[in-house]
Amino acid sequence: MRIELEKRPDVSKLFAFVSPLLALALTLAFGAMMFAILGKDPVEALDAFFVEPLLEVWSLHELAIKAAPLILIAVGLAVSYRSNNWNIGAEGQFTIGAITGSYLPIVFYDWHSPLILPLMLLLGALGGALFAAIPALLKAHFNTNEILTSLMLVYVAQLFLDWLVRGAWRDPKGFNFPVSRDFAPEAVLPAIWEESGRAHWAFIFAIIAAIGVWFMLRFTLKGFEVVVLGQSERAGRFAGFSAKKMIWFSFLFSGALAGLAGISEVSGSIGHLQPAISPGYGFTAIIVAFLGRLNPLGIVASGLVLALTYLGGEAAQLSIGISDKVTRVFQGLLLFFVLSCDTLIYYKIRIIWSRIRGGAA
């Protein structure tokens, strides 16, 4: 017996549209089964996970805080993936962006100027782009698999951050804890509406990035180039587009947005560098990108959904006493069902039976 996937000649537009919703429904159904196995009331658990975090204004601010880096990173990854360049290392670019953007408030901590915050954001985006340039260089000029190189560089970035905050950038007044100096007020990303919560401008950056990239993909020549080269490199060459230049563009662009997300998270939410600055935003953003169908506007909605899993997971730990690992399980289930639904929409499953001849199959 052999199982093969055969591409469907006609793809249902209806099923392609509802595929993310179907994946979400299946995730909730299997999540309810998981809670039942854990000995929890499924209705109460799902309510704690997905409804309670939406009932308070301050909680909505927290949702925006967690959605901002997911949307920023996923929008950049959408450009990369649609051009058929697989940047899996956004978590590392997020980390390097946080490091490079934190250089000014940590090293020049006595400098107080309105210029410091814009320069931090610029350095963060530049750091993420330069770190993403490493797998771009290896793929463009040495034909190296970008999935492996970008993924392995994540651990380089995380270990570099750990080394910095335990060494050269450790706060001399921090009682030997592995944290940097707290950022000065001028280096902190301001809140959008401070009276009601602490959601900061990173969420505005994410919305602007999503709208800007949607416009680029829909109405500009560069967006057309991304789509054409992603679907057929040969057709792109006939149109005069360079696949090598697109590798550089997609990696630098996605790395810059990941780096901007990194420094925005550190400046707006944490206020200093520490060994752990991300619960895995760079990897979760991959799920966000595919759940949003690699459409920047869809990514805004999917980013809020995945942010809710983080927020709901924290709330459920307190209210019903479940492990924080449940959040990861939900995210993994969601990615599994998104990919499974898409596969069944675009392909038919064929089972081929082999006859046994002369005692051999």
Side-chain angles (χ1 to χ4, degrees), residues 48-348:
F49 220 92
F50 292 105
V51 179
E52 286 184 11
L54 301 176
L55 300 180
E56 300 287 344
V57 174
W58 69 267
S59 188
L60 294 177
H61 277 259
E62 296 301 313
L63 182 68
I65 289 173
K66 294 191 180 300
L70 293 175
I71 295 171
L72 264 175
I73 298 170
V75 165
L77 292 181
V79 174
S80 185
Y81 296 162
R82 290 184 73 162
S83 67
N84 201 28
N85 292 292
W86 299 93
N87 180 6
I88 308 297
E91 181 80 359
Q93 294 141 30
F94 176 96
T95 302
I96 294 297
I99 293 171
T100 55
S102 301
Y103 178 79
L104 292 177
I106 293 175
V107 177
F108 299 97
Y109 56 89
D110 288 328
W111 183 37
H112 303 281
S113 167
L115 292 175
I116 191 169
L117 187 57
L119 288 174
M120 287 168 57
L121 297 175
L122 183 62
L123 285 173
L126 182 61
L130 290 177
F131 200 63
I134 300 173
L137 173 68
L138 293 173
K139 179 179 182 180
H141 296 281
F142 301 98
N143 200 28
T144 309
N145 187 302
E146 74 275 23
I147 296 175
L148 295 177
T149 53
S150 60
L151 179 60
M152 292 300 101
L153 283 168
V154 171
Y155 304 101
V156 175
Q158 291 174 339
L159 290 171
F160 181 56
L161 171 62
D162 191 85
W163 174 77
L164 276 177
V165 296
R166 295 179 190 276
W169 283 8
R170 185 168 57 188
D171 184 1
K173 299 178 181 178
F175 303 102
N176 214 33
F177 285 102
V179 294
S180 72
R181 297 175 184 271
D182 287 336
F183 292 177
E186 294 86 356
V188 173
L189 203 59
I192 300 172
W193 190 9
E194 196 169 357
E195 291 76 13
S196 61
R198 67 189 192 102
H200 46 77
W201 274 77
F203 187 71
I204 302 298
F205 297 159
I207 299 301
I208 293 173
I211 294 173
V213 172
W214 172 81
F215 183 86
M216 179 193 76
L217 292 173
R218 187 75 182 271
F219 298 108
T220 69
L221 179 61
K222 177 57 72 174
F224 180 68
E225 183 181 350
V226 168
V227 174
V228 170
L229 284 171
Q231 293 180 350
S232 172
E233 185 179 323
R234 186 166 178 265
R237 284 200 303 270
F238 283 124
F241 300 144
S242 170
K244 195 169 287 189
K245 289 182 180 178
M246 181 52 63
I247 293 170
W248 282 101
F249 172 77
S250 63
F251 270 92
L252 292 178
F253 186 81
S254 57
L257 286 185
L260 178 61
I263 185 55
S264 298
E265 176 70 11
V266 169
S267 173
S269 304
I270 303 174
H272 57 253
L273 278 182
Q274 57 191 32
I277 59 173
S278 166
Y281 288 135
F283 295 118
T284 306
I286 298 172
I287 306 175
V288 172
F290 281 103
L291 184 62
R293 316 295 289 175
L294 301 183
N295 182 311
L297 300 184
I299 283 170
V300 174
S302 62
L304 290 169
V305 171
L306 268 295
L308 184 59
T309 64
Y310 279 121
L311 200 61
E314 294 171 0
Q317 287 179 59
L318 298 174
S319 59
I320 60 176
I322 61 172
S323 168
D324 60 336
K325 301 297 187 293
V326 171
T327 299
R328 295 288 187 181
V329 173
F330 262 110
Q331 293 172 353
L333 282 173
L334 188 54
L335 178 60
F336 172 78
F337 284 122
V338 166
L339 297 178
S340 299
C341 290
D342 281 355
T343 300
L344 293 176
I345 287 169
Y346 289 97
Y347 295 90
K348 293 187 291 186

